Amino acid sequence: MREKLEQLAKAMTDELAGVKTLAELQSFEVEKLGRKSEFNALLKGLGGLSPEDRKTVGMAANRLKQEVQAAFDAKKAELESTSAGALADAERIDVTVPGIRPPQGHLHLTSQAISEITAIFRRIGFSRVRHPEVDWDWYAFESLNMPGDHPARDEWETFFVDAPNDPKKGKMVLTPHTSNGQVREMEKRKLPIRMINIAKCYRRQIDVSHVPMFHQFEGLLIDRHVSVTHLKGVLDHFAREFFGPDRVTRLRPFHFRFTEPSFEVDISCGICGGTGKLEGGAKCRLCKEGWLELGGAGMVHPNVLKAGKIDPEEWGGFAFGWGVERTMAMKSGVRIDDIRVLYKSDFRFLKQF
Ligand code: DAH
């Protein structure tokens, strides 16, 4: 029996020497050292020996068991340390390697222009305001001195909303310009007014220089003793801030129903410097004789003030309304051949700005 035990112990130590993983070691422990192991079965046979033999064989058995246990513990320690090392090697992090920056988006070109325009006017005391982009005919036309049957309305290629009419304010429209904000601002009854209303506008139009949804910024100043020179000063200020220090505006007589007098505002061309000619005498291709057309402006018509319940004998003011897309397309460095590309969400275009 003693021999048997010794053989078994030897076989177990040999087997342990060949164990390569902690998982193998675990099954070894269950099979060979557990309660149901062969070794244990032999130990149970000790009871059938003579007291003499039981003592010597028992002592030998204990020693063998301890030897196997020691070999087992040594193996376990060895495997644990190498597996921890392997793990550490595999998961080593080099903290000195530069990080990977996640891709970062940026504001749309139009949003960037809106922020810039807002900031320029804020510095001279104009507050950015918001008014509805779906509004009543009254605010979009009627209160702006454009009666229902007036042909001037044709210019605005309006989308009408299929909604019940308001008995006083008429039909509902998608605002075709930001001028609807004028009388709405007057209704707040806070004078003087210095507002800049920037919003989406909608017209039935689409080609290289028009989109059905675009943006305008509308300036309105109402105060006492306001003259055209104030308007010109504000427009020149904007032109210098937005386009560059050497740019100026000019006012060309025009006609709008809601201003009197009315103007079209031009800005000196940034390519030919306002001369209309390039070096060598060729005609500038960007402008018309040195000027680019920016948008409309004028002195607020007394009828518009009356619609806003403001006394035109006491108060006066100026207004202007320009397209954001158009204005930014005229800034040098931004080349937009086809304005529709702004709203096609094509990253190849948008990523450039
Ligand atoms: N609302 C006009 C348009 O969309 C632009 C305009 C012209 C606005 C003259 C004004 C103004 O405030 O005074 O064409």
Side-chain angles (χ1 to χ4, degrees):
M1 176 163 196
R2 183 176 173 159
E3 257 163 46
K4 256 201 165 168
L5 280 168
E6 263 166 10
Q7 272 169 13
L8 197 58
K10 167 114 187 4
M12 288 198 317
T13 11
D14 286 351
E15 192 181 334
L16 267 178
V19 167
K20 296 229 165 48
T21 66
L22 281 168
E24 279 175 49
L25 191 68
Q26 209 172 17
S27 36
F28 176 92
E29 187 177 20
V30 175
E31 281 169 32
K32 306 285 160 75
L33 303 177
R35 273 192 303 118
K36 293 184 180 156
S37 65
E38 203 183 342
F39 199 83
N40 242 15
L42 276 176
L43 287 184
K44 279 190 190 137
L46 278 175
L49 295 177
S50 67
E52 200 82 333
D53 285 349
R54 204 187 305 154
K55 199 171 168 196
T56 51
V57 178
M59 270 162 58
N62 259 342
R63 185 176 44 80
L64 288 170
K65 199 175 176 187
Q66 277 165 17
E67 275 171 21
V68 176
Q69 186 64 47
F72 175 88
D73 290 345
K75 191 72 188 180
K76 193 169 174 193
E78 177 198 322
L79 288 179
E80 275 174 356
S81 78
T82 53
S83 77
L87 192 70
D89 271 345
E91 298 200 348
R92 184 150 101 217
I93 293 169
D94 181 351
V95 293
T96 65
V97 171
I100 302 164
R101 284 182 189 280
Q104 215 177 15
H106 61 72
L107 288 180
H108 188 275
L109 191 52
T110 307
S111 305
Q112 291 179 34
I114 289 174
S115 310
E116 197 180 340
I117 293 165
T118 309
I120 292 172
F121 284 104
R122 184 181 295 136
R123 287 199 288 275
I124 52 170
F126 286 73
S127 310
R128 165 111 194 248
V129 297
R130 306 296 298 257
H131 290 294
E133 291 168 351
V134 182
D135 208 351
W136 301 108
D137 178 296
W138 165 258
Y139 293 109
F141 294 113
E142 192 88 29
S143 68
L144 297 174
N145 203 24
M146 282 189 274
D149 54 0
H150 201 282
R153 287 183 170 220
D154 288 356
E155 299 262 316
W156 279 270
E157 314 208 43
T158 311
F159 289 107
F160 288 89
V161 177
D162 190 6
N165 286 5
D166 179 277
K168 289 207 183 95
K169 294 175 178 161
K171 291 187 172 136
M172 193 155 251
V173 300
L174 300 187
T175 50
H177 55 179
T178 42
S179 303
N180 68 312
Q182 292 197 16
V183 169
R184 280 199 171 267
E185 191 67 22
M186 293 176 198
E187 284 179 348
K188 288 188 188 166
R189 313 239 43 82
K190 274 194 226 135
L191 289 167
I193 291 170
R194 273 197 208 117
M195 74 153 199
I196 191 88
N197 173 32
I198 312 183
K200 290 188 176 68
C201 301
Y202 305 86
R203 292 188 197 175
R204 285 191 53 198
Q205 53 182 23
I206 187 156
D207 59 42
V208 285
S209 50
H210 296 93
V211 273
M213 186 287 300
F214 59 104
H215 299 75
Q216 281 190 347
F217 58 106
E218 181 96 7
L220 176 70
L221 182 143
I222 306 285
D223 207 334
R224 297 187 175 94
H225 317 298
V226 183
S227 77
V228 177
T229 54
H230 296 118
L231 169 63
K232 179 77 166 79
V234 165
L235 299 181
D236 279 343
H237 169 80
F238 174 76
R240 281 192 300 268
E241 293 283 309
F242 191 78
F243 294 101
D246 51 348
R247 309 290 286 274
V248 286
T249 61
R250 86 175 170 184
L251 302 182
R252 239 178 328 109
F254 202 70
H255 177 260
F256 293 107
R257 289 285 300 174
F258 33 93
T259 41
E260 181 58 37
S262 303
F263 311 101
E264 286 255 270
V265 184
D266 296 340
I267 180 167
S268 55
C269 176
I271 301 290
C272 64
T275 60
K277 293 214 168 67
L278 300 175
E279 264 175 49
K283 253 191 163 185
C284 178
R285 280 196 314 168
L286 187 68
C287 65
K288 253 194 233 150
E289 280 142 22
W291 297 91
L292 297 160
E293 190 188 310
L294 268 183
M299 305 308 289
V300 180
H301 196 287
N303 288 351
V304 178
L305 291 168
K306 281 186 212 156
K309 307 231 164 38
I310 292 176
D311 179 4
E313 298 297 325
E314 188 184 353
W315 301 90
F318 63 74
F320 54 90
W322 301 352
V324 172
E325 289 83 351
R326 216 186 135 70
T327 306
M328 86 189 168
M330 284 183 190
K331 193 166 180 160
S332 44
V334 180
R335 210 186 136 164
I336 306 169
D337 293 329
D338 181 342
I339 206 155
R340 291 172 291 194
V341 75
L342 277 173
Y343 300 114
K344 283 200 171 139
S345 301
D346 184 337
F347 274 171
R348 287 170 303 177
F349 171 76
L350 294 175
K351 271 184 178 168
Q352 299 174 77
F353 304 101

